[in-house]
Structure formats: structure tokens, C-alpha cells
Amino acid sequence: MGDSPRFALFEMQTFTSADIAGMELLARVQFATSLPGAKPISLIGTTDRDGQTNLAPFSSVVHLGSSPCLLGMISRPDLVERHTLANLTEMRAWTINHLHPEILDAAHQCSAKYPKDVSEFDATGLTIHNHPGFPAPFVQESRFRIGLELEDVIPIPINGTRLIVGRVVLVQVAEEFLMPHGGIDLVGLECLASTALDTYFKLQPLARLSHSKPDAITRRL
Ligand SMILES: Cc1cc2nc3c(=O)[nH]c(=O)nc-3n(C[C@H](O)[C@H](O)[C@H](O)COP(=O)(O)O)c2cc1C
């Protein structure tokens, strides 16, 4: 009898780029947006120079560096009005407001295409939290909020999207969620993750592992 496999193995189906291109539009969007796996989901808060506020859920926020502390996110092409992109370009600032289950439905509603003169704060009942001297609105109900200044907008010519690069200038979170090793307790905060444009997850802790080195076996901390 041969050794039984160490891991569960599945019969794989292979999709080529031609298969993906041939998918019906909505199925292709669902398929393509599932490819990176679960992603963070947060509400991006912006305003224009007349004080017209805006909120939109974004799942493309990514860590770009710790020194300086940089975050990036991807904006869809501006073939139609993109209020988040226009506002943060104008004011050079935006906020990231992490979600928890109680505000998920309101946050999802913010992805609807409201006209520019309708604030998603008013449309959903979420509350504006202003920080003195910072030009973009935070979501008061969010438990973990970040303020950023615009560093760069990098065009991605192949599809007209843009990588927006921001420098973290403010972080707001209750002290009880700061962990002794320096991390932030995303599980305690009940932060959410997402795939596609309609599927949301809670986080479940699995492990913290030791720093890996060629001459030492990974340990669970
Ligand atoms: C779960 C989810 C994730 C999304 N992620 C992004 C994203 O990363 N980038 C983006 O440009 N739009 C994303 N969207 C779409 C925007 O939220 C949507 O286009 C919104 O209407 C933009 O509003 P605005 O024009 O006020 O900026 C996402 C929508 C949902 C529901």
C-alpha cells in the first residue's frame, strides 16, 4: 500500500485565458474578482472642495510599505463619473474605514451609483466624523479608521484603472485592540473580508508563526 497523500488533493479543472474571455459577463466578473482570494473591505471617505462628501466600498486596498507607511488601492476606469477618484485627486486626501457586521449592509449600499450631490452618509444613515485639520470625512461607526494623503496616481494603461498611492497620516483605533507585538487585533475588531462584489466574510484566527529562516523549523507562537 502506498503512502496516503499528506494533503487532500482535488481533480483540477483548467481554465485558459480564452475560457475566461468567453465567460458570460457577470460570471466573468465573479470569477475574476475571486482570483486574488479574500480581500479587505472598507469604506473610502472623500469630499470635494465644496464639502460634498462621498463614501464607496473598496476591496483593493493593499499594503505598499511600512517606512513610510503607504497603502494603495485600485480605482476603476473613469469612463463614468468616479466620485472617489475625483475627490481624492482634488483634495489629495481620503479615509479608509474598516467594516464590522453591524455596518455591512449600509456599507454595501454605498456602492450604488448615487448622483454626486447625494452623499452616501445621508443615503445610508452613517455618520460623518471629522478630524480637526484633516480634509476627508471618517465614518463614526467604524472601529478602525485611517487617514491618508495622496502621494501618486499611477495609470495602468492596459485597462484604464489607476493605482492610487497614499501615505498614512492618521490611524484611529481603541487601545484595547492594539496587540503587544505591534499588530492590530482585526479579529477582535470584527473586521470583514470580501470577494467578488457581493460576498463578505468574518475573520477566523488560525496561527501566528515564527519568522522563517533556512536553518530553523517554523514554530507556532
Ligand atoms: C465589495 C465591493 C468592492 C469594491 N471594490 C472596488 C475597488 O476596489 N475599486 C473600485 O474602483 N471600485 C470598487 N467597488 C465599486 C465601487 O464601490 C462603486 O463603483 C461605487 O459606486 C463608486 O462610487 P464613487 O463613484 O462614489 O466613487 C467595489 C464595490 C463593492 C460592492
Side-chain angles (χ1 to χ4, degrees):
M1 231 168 66
D3 289 341
S4 52
R6 242 184 103 198
F7 304 107
L9 298 175
F10 295 91
E11 195 71 37
M12 293 280 195
Q13 198 176 336
T14 298
F15 297 86
T16 64
S17 51
D19 294 328
I20 297 171
M23 289 175 181
E24 178 265 323
L25 176 64
L26 283 179
R28 175 155 33 94
V29 171
Q30 291 282 346
F31 188 88
T33 52
S34 298
L35 294 179
K39 295 168 291 171
I41 181 72
S42 52
L43 274 176
I44 305 303
T46 55
T47 182
D48 68 11
R49 66 170 69 88
D50 298 323
Q52 178 64 49
T53 56
N54 194 84
L55 282 177
F58 272 50
S59 60
S60 53
V61 172
V62 64
H63 166 80
L64 293 178
S66 310
S67 182
C69 192
L70 298 176
L71 293 172
M73 62 184 187
I74 298 291
S75 174
R76 293 175 176 180
D78 58 352
L79 303 171
V80 296
E81 272 187 31
R82 296 282 175 212
H83 303 143
T84 303
L85 178 66
N87 289 349
L88 65 82
T89 307
E90 191 170 304
M91 301 299 286
R92 301 193 68 82
W94 75 97
T95 66
I96 293 174
N97 303 268
H98 283 268
L99 305 185
H100 54 89
E102 286 87 345
I103 58 171
L104 172 63
D105 297 72
H108 184 79
Q109 182 63 29
C110 292
S111 67
K113 290 199 184 323
Y114 290 103
K116 185 163 180 357
D117 61 357
V118 174
S119 170
E120 287 80 0
F121 281 103
D122 297 331
T124 63
L126 290 168
T127 315
I128 294 178
H129 170 82
N130 285 312
H131 182 84
F134 191 73
F138 291 89
V139 176
Q140 190 174 75
E141 290 82 359
S142 170
R143 299 170 178 168
F144 177 19
R145 309 186 283 235
I146 305 167
L148 300 103
E149 284 176 2
L150 183 63
E151 286 290 341
D152 214 347
V153 178
I154 301 171
I156 300 178
I158 190 166
N159 64 358
T161 56
R162 289 179 176 82
L163 171 62
I164 299 162
V165 179
R167 180 187 293 254
V168 174
V169 293
L170 292 170
V171 177
Q172 300 183 330
V173 64
E175 191 178 355
E176 67 199 272
F177 299 111
L178 300 177
M179 301 175 92
H181 57 71
I184 293 170
D185 182 3
L186 302 178
V187 175
L189 285 162
E190 295 187 282
C191 286
L192 302 180
S194 72
T195 62
L197 298 172
D198 56 5
T199 305
Y200 299 92
F201 308 94
K202 288 181 174 177
L203 305 182
Q204 192 184 348
L206 176 60
R208 277 189 67 225
L209 302 180
S210 59
H211 182 68
S212 61
K213 298 176 191 152
D215 58 352
I217 300 292
T218 292
R219 284 178 300 110
R220 296 219 160 188
L221 301 175

